[in-house]
Amino acid sequence: MNSSELIPHLFRTEYSRITAVLCKLFGIENIQLAEDIASDTFLLAAETWGIKGLPPNPQAWLYSVAKNKARDVFKRKKIFTEKITAALQKDATSFVEDDIDLSEKNIEDSQLQMMFAICHPLLSSEAQVGLSLRILCGFGIEEIAAAFLSNKETINKRLSRAKEKLRAGKIVIAMPSASDIPERLQNVLTTIYLLFNEGYYSAGTDSVLRKELCLEAMRLAHLLTYHEATNQPEVNALLSLMCFHASRFDARTNDAGEMILYEEQDTMRWDKELIAKGEWYLNQASTGERLTKYHLEAAIAYWHTVKKDSPEKWENILQLYNRLLQIAYSPIAALNRTYALAKANGAIEAIVEAEKLGLKNNQLYHSLLGELYKNIDKEKAMHHLNTAFSLAVSTADKKMISDKMSLLRKS
C-alpha cells in the first residue's frame, strides 16, 4: 500500500484518537486547536511520505509528530503555564511536558470521556451527531455534509456553534459521576442510535459512506462496553440491534445500488458472524430488570434474521412491536408494526391500522399502503405508489417505487 492509499485509512482511524487525547489535554475550550494539530500531522505525513516513502511504523510516526506539535503549542502559547501550573503545584509528578500519553488505554479513555462531553444535553441531537462524526469518527467536513445531505458551509457553521456552546458551558472532558452516568448514558446511546440510522436508513446514495457510518456507530458502542460503569444491558442491546441490522447490509442493495426489499433479499448474503455476535450481545443484555426500546428493537431485528417465513416468526415480531409502542411510541415504529400485522393476520387488517396513522407526507407510509392494496384494489395501490414516488428523495427509492408500479400495471 502506498502513501496515497494509506493516509486516508489512517486519517479515519487515527485522527479521532489523536484529537480526543489532545482535547482532553488542552480542555474543551481548545477543541479547535486539538483538531488543527491532528490535521497538521496528516498534512505533514502527506508531504513527507510522498517524497521519502512510508516510515517503518506509520502509526508511531503520526503519534510522534502529534506529540512534537503539541509540545510546540505548550511552549508557544504558554498553555502549559496557564492550564497546568495549578495542577503541578498539587502534584509535581502529575504532568510532564514531553510526556503526552498516546497509549492505547489513554486513547480509549479519552475517546470515551470525549463521547460524554460531545453528547452533553446542552447540544441538539443533530449537533451531537455532527461532532461525533468529526471528532470521534474522523469524518471530513465533506463527508459529514454528504451524510446530512447538506453542504460544507452549513456543516462548518453547525459544528462551530456546537463547539462554542461547549466552550461557553465549560464542559469538562471526563467521565460523569456514578450517579449521573445512567441519565447521561441515554444521551450517548441516542446519538449512537441516530448515527447508525443515518447510515442504515438514510436516503443518501453513497453506499460506502453509509456502511462506514454504521460501522463507526458500532465502534463507539463497543467503547462503552470497555468501561464497567457504561457496560450496561441497554448498551449491549443497542450493539445487538446494530449487529443484526448490519448483518443484512450487503443484501439490501444490488450491484447498481438499488434497494432490495426484505422478502426479496438473498439470505446467503446475510453475515452469519454478525448474526452470531448480535445473539451474544442480546444474551448479555438480558441481565437486570429494565426493559428498553433497544432490547425490543434488537429482538425484532433478531427475528428478521430468521430465514424461515413462518406464522410464529411474524406473530413474535407483532407482539414485540406492540410492547415497543407501549414504552417508546413513534409513528415509524407504528408503521413498521402494520407490515408485521399484514404478515401475521393479513393485508385487510393491516390496511385499517395503517390508515389510522395518517402519515400522508411520509413516503414509507404510501409505499406500504401501495404494497398492501396491490391484491385488493389496484387503483388505490397505484395512487399510493404515485404519491410515494413524488415524496421520494433518492434515485434509488424512486427506482424501487417505479419498478413496483411497472409490476402492478402488468399484473
Side-chain angles (χ1 to χ4, degrees), residues 27-46:
I28 202 77
E29 65 271 25
N30 288 298
I31 190 171
Q32 188 60 55
L33 179 59
E35 287 188 90
D36 289 344
I37 291 174
S39 295
D40 288 347
T41 297
F42 280 92
L43 283 174
L44 185 60

Side-chain angles (χ1 to χ4, degrees), residues 21-31 33 73-74 77-91 94-95 167 170-173:
V21 171
L22 295 181
C23 276
K24 179 181 175 182
L25 187 65
F26 294 147
I28 202 77
E29 65 271 25
N30 288 298
I31 190 171
L33 179 59
V73 167
F74 275 122
K77 295 193 175 183
K78 298 183 179 178
I79 289 179
F80 176 79
T81 302
E82 295 168 2
K83 292 192 59 62
I84 309 300
T85 299
L88 283 174
Q89 289 171 351
K90 295 177 183 176
D91 181 359
S94 64
F95 183 85
R167 278 192 292 268
K170 297 181 179 178
I171 305 305
V172 177
I173 301 175

Side-chain angles (χ1 to χ4, degrees), residues 15 159 162 222 229 266 279 282 298 331 343 349-350:
Y15 172 89
L159 297 186
H222 272 114
D266 179 2
E279 291 174 355
L282 191 55
K343 300 290 285 187
E349 187 175 336

Side-chain angles (χ1 to χ4, degrees), residues 16-25 63 67 95 99-114 173 223:
S16 60
R17 293 155 66 88
I18 293 170
T19 301
V21 171
L22 295 181
C23 276
K24 179 181 175 182
L25 187 65
Y63 287 2
K67 283 183 179 184
F95 183 85
D99 184 22
I100 298 169
D101 187 359
L102 280 164
S103 66
E104 192 65 30
K105 184 179 187 308
N106 192 51
I107 288 172
E108 288 180 359
D109 288 347
S110 298
Q111 286 188 303
L112 189 61
Q113 292 164 16
M114 196 70 196
I173 301 175
L223 276 178

Side-chain angles (χ1 to χ4, degrees), residues 196 200-201 211 241-253 259-263 265-267 269-272 274-275 300-307 313:
F196 185 88
Y200 198 75
Y201 296 110
K211 189 170 185 178
L241 166 63
M242 294 190 290
C243 285
F244 287 138
H245 280 324
S247 73
R248 295 190 290 108
F249 205 104
D250 291 338
R252 294 175 73 238
T253 56
M259 189 66 69
I260 299 174
L261 296 175
Y262 173 74
E263 60 270 19
Q265 289 176 10
D266 179 2
T267 58
R269 298 186 68 188
W270 291 358
D271 190 320
K272 296 181 180 64
L274 274 175
I275 292 172
I300 291 168
Y302 159 74
W303 278 105
H304 277 89
T305 65
V306 174
K307 296 179 181 181
K313 168 180 172 176

